[in-house]
Amino acid sequence: MKLLRDLLDKQVVDREQVKIGKIDGLVVELRQGKPPRIIAIELGSITLARRLGAGPGLWMARLAAKLGGKRHGEPHRIAWHKVRDIGTDIEFDVDVRQTSIFAWQDWLRDHVIGRIPGA
Amino acid sequence: MAHQTPALTFSGRHLRLDYLCALLLLGVSAGCSSSDRIEQQSQTAASAAQTVSMVLDAWTSGAAPFAYTAGTLQSVGKTLADAEAQIRSAETAEPAEQAALATAVKDLSVAVAHAGAGLQAGNRAGVQKAKQDLQLASRSLAAAYAKYFAPKP
Amino acid sequence: MKKLVEISLGVVTSVGGFLEVGSMATAAQAGATFGFQLIWAVVLGTICIIFLVEMAGRFAAVSHHTICDGIRERFGFNVFVWPLLATFLLSLMVLSAEIGGVAIALELATGIGFQWWALPVAFLAWLLLWKGTFGLIEKGVSMLGLVTLCFVVAAVMLKPDWTAVAAGAVPSLPAHDTASYWFMSVSILGASISPYLFMFYSSGAIEDQWDKSYLGANRAIAGLGMSFGGTISVGVLIVAALVLATHGIDQVDDYHQLPLMLIPVFGFWGFVLFVASLAIACFGATLEVGLQQAYLVAQGFGWTWGEDRKPRDNPGFSAVYTVSLFLAAIPIMLGLDPLRLTIFSMALTAASLPLTVVPFLFLLNDKRYVGEHRNGILSNAAVIFIIALGFVLAVVTIPLQIFGGT
């Protein structure tokens, strides 16, 4: 499988088919004498910023930590063994509500969007 | 190279998007010849005058509402004042023809102002009179324009 | 039978949604200054958008990806970020222009300055996106947009010399104002080939859950809808040429001049029809561009998206259109002239085309996405032509922006 071509930047959904992001990065284990193995995927702005360069990555990590606390200073990871299906979207056996991936969306809902009438 | 861009036409009422562009292009427009600017502004003034004449006709026949007619007169008035100032400030080798053009545009402005006053007062005769003045001034603008761009001996 | 209804609905939607402030203003200017001579630009732009829309719909129906998803997936984030930024910023400008268009219509109708209308218009658009569904926005508003057909009726009633109209469909060199001629042709092309149009179309295909059985419908909707839409633009151009130019108005640089197009044809009703056309067409476009901003960002980053969900289930998505609409209202509120903004943003759109159209060449020829429904020679030729055109326009627009204007 060509990792970059077939996985990177694909849509990720959780077990409820909720779109939770794109595969922004892959965590790969390099093994001596054997082909490399994917151990996890990464999602979120920090990973994306790192793809643009070390500078933006560092800057985004600092910003995220400042806004969301220490726990948001690292990219979100989902272990590869949770993968359930690879099709148009890639499905992982997780529930987005139990992760911190949508913490900012929840914040947005609780503090802004949810307060506007009719939401 | 021909005309001034809309981006470079200033008028007091609107905050133009292109102030920045205008600054950037100041050097470029300095390269534009004055006769280009005079040509462009004369054409704008002629179109503006025809616009007023058309909108007054529409208003007289009941096809254009009052608010729209008044708004158009006001907007055109500003365009004409701006055109006159630009024509006056252009540097040219034919000051007499330039002055004739500027005077014609000034007459247009005055006629438009009269039409506006007549409109506000509901004075149809006054509007008609202003429209005739407008046509006269349009004709003298066309004549001055032809003279300005006529081949010189 | 059901398909037929769906096709006609789709065609009606694209016709009603075709005209917006950009196509209207550029066609009016071109007709007033150059008569029928620039009809070719409208025709060319329409042919280009037919191809792009057909491809966007085919891509969505076969691969179940929107164009935006496709670009990110196929080229990776580092490439995607450029079309993303360019489209987002340009669409924001176009959104401002559309809000300005509605605001102008309201000023013409009431006499209250357009600046005062920017916020109420943005608010109303936001409210519809907030409470409405995709069907309501796509179908309802475009239905109303059929009022813009009055330009076609007016053009026919003016009895133009049809051979002269046909001659205008063939490109020719201008006899006067060369720079302004090319600048106008660029703006017309930019107004016809808008990235938001084909991106929105592919999002719509996913929202309406298209699959391969829709390929025929897609072709019919793209072909018929866009050609009828282009006909309305040509109608505007003809009316401007026959009404404004013959009355000695050959420079359209003030939006107050625009209603004069229909008054000699329909009298007072012409004024009403013009104001209604401008308001409805621009309001429809405001909704579409606003929604497309949210689609673009949500699809680009993989969030949940869809206009039929409640805002509280989709906070990121709804935040994007909310912020876009209000940001776009600001320049109009500050009194920036909407007509100038329109012409300016249309020319920039034309120059940005290569960024959004180059990906079509790859996506529509990639078996992993479209399988056997790959582009034929004709479609590929069209894409390559549009890209080349875009490059030329990009090189030409910037200097013309300086010297060309009207």
Side-chain angles (χ1 to χ4, degrees):
Chain A
M1 189 155 67
K2 289 181 183 160
L3 293 183
L4 292 183
R5 198 191 75 179
D6 290 338
L7 290 177
L8 202 58
D9 292 307
K10 280 204 147 214
Q11 180 72 51
V12 182
V13 296
D14 77 350
R15 70 166 83 97
E16 313 281 336
Q17 296 299 316
V18 175
K19 292 189 164 83
I20 57 179
K22 303 260 176 179
I23 298 188
D24 296 324
L26 291 166
V27 185
V28 175
E29 182 187 35
L30 295 171
R31 297 172 301 176
Q32 205 128 53
K34 281 189 264 178
R37 187 177 58 176
I38 309 175
I39 47 180
I41 63 155
E42 286 190 349
L43 317 98
S45 49
I46 302 176
T47 312
L48 279 180
R50 280 182 186 161
R51 283 170 76 177
L52 294 177
L58 213 64
W59 181 81
M60 185 59 86
R62 267 193 217 134
L63 183 77
K66 205 170 181 181
L67 290 177
K70 257 216 170 83
R71 144 185 114 99
H72 284 278
E74 290 290 321
H76 307 290
R77 278 192 185 180
I78 302 177
W80 184 249
H81 64 81
K82 299 263 193 194
V83 71
R84 274 225 293 223
D85 179 37
I86 303 181
T88 304
D89 301 336
I90 299 184
E91 188 185 328
F92 282 86
D93 188 17
V94 291
D95 184 338
V96 70
R97 284 166 293 188
Q98 278 151 21
T99 69
S100 57
I101 295 170
F102 275 176
W104 69 272
Q105 293 236 29
D106 292 337
W107 183 91
L108 202 59
R109 165 169 44 238
D110 296 342
H111 292 86
V112 189
I113 300 291
R115 295 194 175 184
I116 303 173
Chain B
M1 187 169 73
H3 307 295
Q4 227 175 351
T5 70
L8 294 175
T9 319
F10 288 90
S11 98
R13 186 152 75 111
H14 306 309
L15 210 170
R16 290 286 139 85
L17 145 93
D18 319 65
Y19 271 134
L20 221 149
C21 281
L23 279 174
L24 274 171
L25 304 177
L26 216 66
V28 180
S29 43
C32 277
S33 75
S34 288
S35 86
D36 279 344
R37 195 181 342 158
I38 290 183
E39 184 183 356
Q40 173 65 24
Q41 290 304 320
S42 309
Q43 284 174 3
T44 301
S47 271
Q50 293 311 311
T51 304
V52 169
S53 148
M54 229 182 139
V55 83
L56 287 178
D57 281 343
W59 178 75
T60 317
S61 65
F66 172 81
Y68 163 64
T69 312
T72 308
L73 293 188
Q74 204 180 14
S75 174
V76 168
K78 282 185 179 121
T79 307
L80 288 173
D82 187 50
E84 188 202 338
Q86 293 217 31
I87 292 175
R88 274 196 205 286
S89 67
E91 281 180 32
T92 154
E94 294 110 48
E97 284 87 346
Q98 179 189 21
L101 274 172
T103 311
V105 176
K106 173 88 196 160
D107 291 347
L108 286 176
S109 284
V110 171
V112 170
H114 284 167
L119 185 76
Q120 297 293 344
N123 173 4
R124 277 172 189 270
V127 171
Q128 275 312 320
K129 168 81 177 55
K131 227 198 105 190
Q132 282 160 11
D133 293 348
L134 191 76
Q135 273 153 0
L136 280 176
S138 280
R139 252 173 255 147
S140 53
L141 176 68
Y145 184 78
K147 217 174 199 172
Y148 184 86
F149 285 98
K152 299 287 173 325
Chain C
M1 186 59 208
K2 191 169 161 275
K3 269 271 147 61
L4 204 66
V5 172
E6 220 153 342
I7 291 176
S8 13
L9 206 59
V11 172
V12 168
T13 310
S14 354
V15 175
F18 191 89
L19 205 66
E20 38 78 53
V21 68
S23 37
M24 211 186 236
T26 52
Q29 283 197 331
T33 309
F34 294 102
F36 299 155
Q37 214 187 347
L38 273 165
I39 289 181
W40 66 267
V42 182
V43 174
L44 184 65
T46 308
I47 294 175
C48 291
I49 195 69
I50 290 177
F51 273 101
L52 291 174
V53 163
E54 189 277 330
M55 285 182 231
R58 174 152 47 94
F59 184 77
V62 180
S63 75
H64 302 288
H65 285 71
T66 62
I67 288 295
C68 183
D69 286 326
I71 298 180
R72 162 119 197 231
E73 212 175 286
R74 177 69 172 68
F75 298 95
F77 180 73
N78 288 16
V79 172
F80 170 72
V81 76
W82 298 110
L84 173 75
L85 277 177
T87 314
F88 189 84
L89 293 177
L90 261 173
S91 298
L92 210 54
M93 269 174 83
V94 174
L95 192 57
S96 268
E98 304 295 347
I99 292 177
V102 188
I104 286 177
L106 290 166
E107 175 184 326
L108 293 172
T110 61
I112 298 171
F114 69 82
Q115 299 94 310
W116 301 101
W117 292 108
L119 259 191
V121 168
F123 178 76
L124 188 65
W126 172 82
L127 197 65
L128 267 173
L129 291 182
W130 193 255
K131 302 292 281 181
T133 60
F134 183 74
L136 174 82
I137 286 161
E138 192 198 20
K139 313 236 152 63
V141 180
S142 316
M143 256 354 150
L144 290 175
L146 290 178
V147 68
T148 53
L149 284 169
C150 64
F151 284 101
V152 180
V153 176
V156 172
M157 282 171 68
L158 286 165
K159 298 196 178 64
D161 173 0
W162 292 107
T163 38
V165 171
V170 182
S172 54
L173 290 173
H176 59 98
D177 299 327
T178 313
S180 143
Y181 180 86
W182 292 113
F183 181 78
M184 274 187 202
S185 62
V186 171
S187 312
I188 292 178
L189 287 168
S192 323
I193 320 174
S194 344
Y196 91 82
L197 209 62
F198 53 76
M199 288 192 157
F200 184 79
Y201 188 80
S202 78
S203 305
I206 301 285
E207 289 246 33
D208 289 337
Q209 297 173 336
W210 282 16
D211 55 29
K212 281 180 196 165
S213 71
Y214 280 82
L215 286 175
N218 173 49
R219 197 167 292 175
I221 293 171
L224 291 176
M226 297 295 141
S227 346
F228 288 145
T231 310
I232 305 182
S233 294
V234 174
V236 175
L237 191 146
I238 292 177
V239 173
L242 292 182
V243 174
L244 297 184
T246 47
H247 281 83
I249 302 175
D250 51 13
Q251 312 277 320
V252 173
D253 37 28
D254 182 343
Y255 53 82
H256 289 97
Q257 293 165 311
L258 297 174
L260 293 174
M261 281 197 279
L262 291 182
I263 290 179
V265 190
F266 299 117
F268 178 70
W269 284 104
F271 178 80
V272 174
L273 278 172
F274 177 84
V275 170
S277 296
L278 184 68
I280 293 170
C282 297
F283 191 69
T286 304
L287 291 175
E288 282 193 7
V289 182
L291 196 52
Q292 176 52 36
Q293 291 290 75
Y295 284 149
L296 180 71
V297 176
Q299 290 163 5
F301 292 102
W303 311 339
T304 30
W305 58 275
E307 167 57 14
D308 293 346
R309 296 160 195 265
K310 278 184 151 300
R312 71 163 36 256
D313 299 331
N314 246 352
F317 179 82
S318 1
V320 177
Y321 65 68
T322 306
V323 171
S324 293
L325 278 170
F326 289 99
L327 274 184
I330 292 174
I332 305 300
M333 221 164 69
L334 292 177
L336 183 73
D337 185 74
L339 186 61
R340 287 168 214 274
L341 177 67
T342 302
I343 305 298
F344 186 75
S345 51
M346 292 307 137
L348 275 188
T349 303
S352 80
L353 279 177
L355 272 179
T356 39
V357 178
V358 169
F360 275 75
L361 201 56
F362 294 87
L363 293 176
L364 270 296
N365 287 300
D366 193 326
K367 270 193 189 158
R368 283 174 297 140
Y369 291 103
V370 280
E372 53 181 324
H373 301 285
R374 280 186 305 173
N375 265 0
I377 293 178
L378 190 64
S379 295
N380 276 333
V383 179
I384 291 172
F385 174 78
I386 297 167
I387 294 167
L389 189 70
F391 272 116
V392 174
L393 295 184
V395 174
V396 164
T397 315
I398 311 305
L400 282 190
Q401 198 92 56
I402 303 170
F403 304 121
T406 41

